[in-house]
Amino acid sequence: MNLLSIENICKSYSEKILLNEVSLGIEEGDKIGVIGVNGTGKSTFLKIIAGVEEEDAGRILKGNNVRIEYLSQNPYMDSNATVLEQIFKGNSSLMTLLREYESLLDELNFNSNNASLQNKLISLNSRMDAQNAWTVESEAKTILTQLGISDFHAKVSTLSGGQKKRIALASTLISPADLLILDEPTNHLDNQTIEWLENFLNSRKGSLLMITHDRYFLDRITNKIIELDKGNLYAYKGNYSEFLEKKSERLDLEAASENKRANLFRRELAWIRRGAKARTTKQKARIDRFEDIKAAKIDINTEKIEISSLSSRLGKKIIEIENLSKSYGDKKLLENFSYILLRDDRIGVLGPNGSGKSTLMNIISGKVPSDSGLVDIGDTVKIGYYSQENTHMDENLRVIEYVKEGAEFITVADGSKISASQMLERFLFPPTQQWTYVGSLSGGEKRRLYLLRVLMEAPNVLFLDEPTNDLDIETLTILEDYLDSFNGPVIAVSHDRYFLDRMAKKIFQYDGSSNINIFIGNYSDYSERIQILETEKEISKPLSENKSDTNNSRDKKTKPLKFSYNEKREFEEIDSIIENLELAIEEINVKIGKASSDYTKLQLLMEEKGILEDNLNEKMDRWAYLNELAEKIENGINE
């Protein structure tokens, strides 16, 4: 069933055409991802469909009973409202009832013996029953909890920007809708929450239209991709992987068509240059044909952004971190953290929001002081820091002036120089846009410009704080290609699983209690390792905690606990295995101390130590389980 039809929509801002007679039909069950370079009009397109913004021309046909819910990038929030009041926004009878019910509960908390309030509560309970509102209320609290919001009565004004965005997302998700429109729903969410949202949207009935730069998210949810490019809309059936295949085929066909047109154009041009005179009808027709061929040129962008090796020389000593600690009030973010940064390190940093990921980067780069500890930076180190904030951008500068403040020319790997203007073109800023003011750019375009400015300064160590939040997929691909050839270490805080799989060789994981765990490998390796550890913990739980054993105990004959053959052998050997692992780690620590100037050897030793420590942790878990089992056997406890 067709929910909504978009017919020949046009939208321009000044001379910039965002949408040029685009059309689209949205059917029941469609889950559509919208992609395109920042500044092409993706958010504007969603706003027009949601009815938040007017189109210049064209029309949108929508069924009378089709309900639409829209999450914008910057949702309006009532600062005086509580979390639940904000969640139950809207003027529907259901939302009005839920707000009234939550408000009455707050009153009763302060005046529980008030007979009038109690009678009102009885009346509201009946109305809640009649409208099946309990389900919505329960779902709202469940979704808020999953999104990391536990204080339902906190004032919106006391919350961080990320928390506000999650509340707006929860409000959108609980509202009944035939079409859910989401603009960047994964921003400000950690990896675990993104995976929860992925499952929620996959199981949800109804259609979905969303903008996201999270490629795994797109791949696992969508069944249709639409791409906005230079005012045109291209629709592809399938998920993101299928889109990549089909777009490649489209570009090949366009290139072949353009080559044929170019050959014909050259022949016609030769004829025109020979001095043809438009005296006869035949000659006039041929000249008209030449003009038609000339006008039919397809704009094929074959230029790739090549920004490899824009880094300055890096010496042997890079950054040495020793016993860093940092707290804000009673909250410990970091405690006695030490690490030696190596030349080929590619580190992804994971952890819950507010755990201290950005703080770590700010301490290392000297932007924030630590409470204790030392950061020793090598003399040749030049840090390029792409932070979450770009508030320092002077919006009164022209685009090219902003980039030239970093450098007017850069030298690439082959020794040639590229001007700031050429680099801007390669970063999708055409000459006409280079002389516009920074303040006139969209949020995504500003982030792309900021990234270029960081790279133009030729750093040899890169810190990237949430680079995937506002960069479009094309720019992310450019950045990933650049990192492949970057001759220095990279530390990136990111929730983008695709990006972390693409760039990371190590994962720093904040465990929520000021400790950082180090895992070798990319995000998928880390995720697999975490699942194994959780499974092993579940297996090693005390048998009394195993619910299935407890529930079935009535139906089974009890029998004495005993070791299996393998468990008995493991129990006899595990103490010596642990002792040997501890000795091996001590020996590695001695070698690390002696190899402080040999960075290649140091890296190998650090990786070997990480593997040994992982093995030791596994064996300690098994030791705890086997000793508990031995104690139960000795005490004659039955299964």
Side-chain angles (χ1 to χ4, degrees), residues 69-126:
E69 275 296 320
Y70 167 61
L71 173 72
S72 74
Q73 279 196 49
N74 300 297
Y76 167 77
M77 307 290 283
D78 181 356
S79 59
N80 293 318
T82 66
V83 169
L84 284 177
E85 286 169 346
Q86 183 65 43
I87 286 289
F88 301 134
K89 65 177 178 57
N91 298 318
S92 69
S93 60
L94 177 61
M95 293 301 163
T96 303
L97 174 60
L98 285 166
R99 283 200 303 273
E100 192 177 349
Y101 177 75
E102 293 296 335
S103 176
L104 181 61
L105 288 184
D106 285 344
E107 289 185 62
L108 282 166
N109 281 336
F110 295 102
N111 197 357
S112 59
N113 296 320
N114 187 300
S116 174
L117 292 178
Q118 288 173 350
N119 289 332
K120 190 176 179 182
L121 180 63
I122 293 169
S123 173
L124 281 176
N125 282 339
S126 300

Side-chain angles (χ1 to χ4, degrees), residues 344-463:
D344 63 348
D345 266 344
R346 294 289 189 276
I347 299 169
V349 185
L350 295 177
N353 291 319
S355 57
K357 304 184 296 294
S358 298
T359 301
L360 174 65
M361 303 242 280
N362 285 331
I363 291 173
I364 298 172
S365 61
K367 295 180 182 293
V368 170
S370 63
D371 295 339
S372 60
L374 176 69
V375 177
D376 190 6
I377 298 177
D379 294 335
T380 60
V381 169
K382 185 177 182 182
I383 295 174
Y385 193 172
Y386 178 86
S387 68
Q388 288 192 54
E389 305 296 330
N390 52 317
T391 52
H392 57 277
M393 295 179 81
D394 186 346
E395 298 201 342
N396 295 314
L397 286 176
R398 297 185 186 274
V399 168
I400 194 163
E401 292 171 341
Y402 175 74
V403 173
K404 282 184 174 180
E405 280 189 343
E408 294 207 15
F409 293 90
I410 50 97
T411 304
V412 292
D414 62 3
S416 61
K417 290 185 180 294
I418 298 178
S419 69
S421 179
Q422 289 171 313
M423 283 301 296
L424 278 165
E425 282 197 66
R426 295 182 180 192
F427 258 70
L428 312 176
F429 291 101
T432 53
Q433 198 176 17
Q434 292 178 19
W435 291 96
T436 60
Y437 289 101
V438 170
S440 69
L441 301 179
S442 70
E445 286 173 321
K446 288 177 184 175
R447 298 296 287 171
R448 191 186 337 137
L449 182 64
Y450 173 40
L451 174 63
L452 174 58
R453 167 68 182 268
V454 170
L455 300 182
M456 282 289 288
E457 294 177 357
N460 50 31
V461 175
L462 264 181
F463 289 177

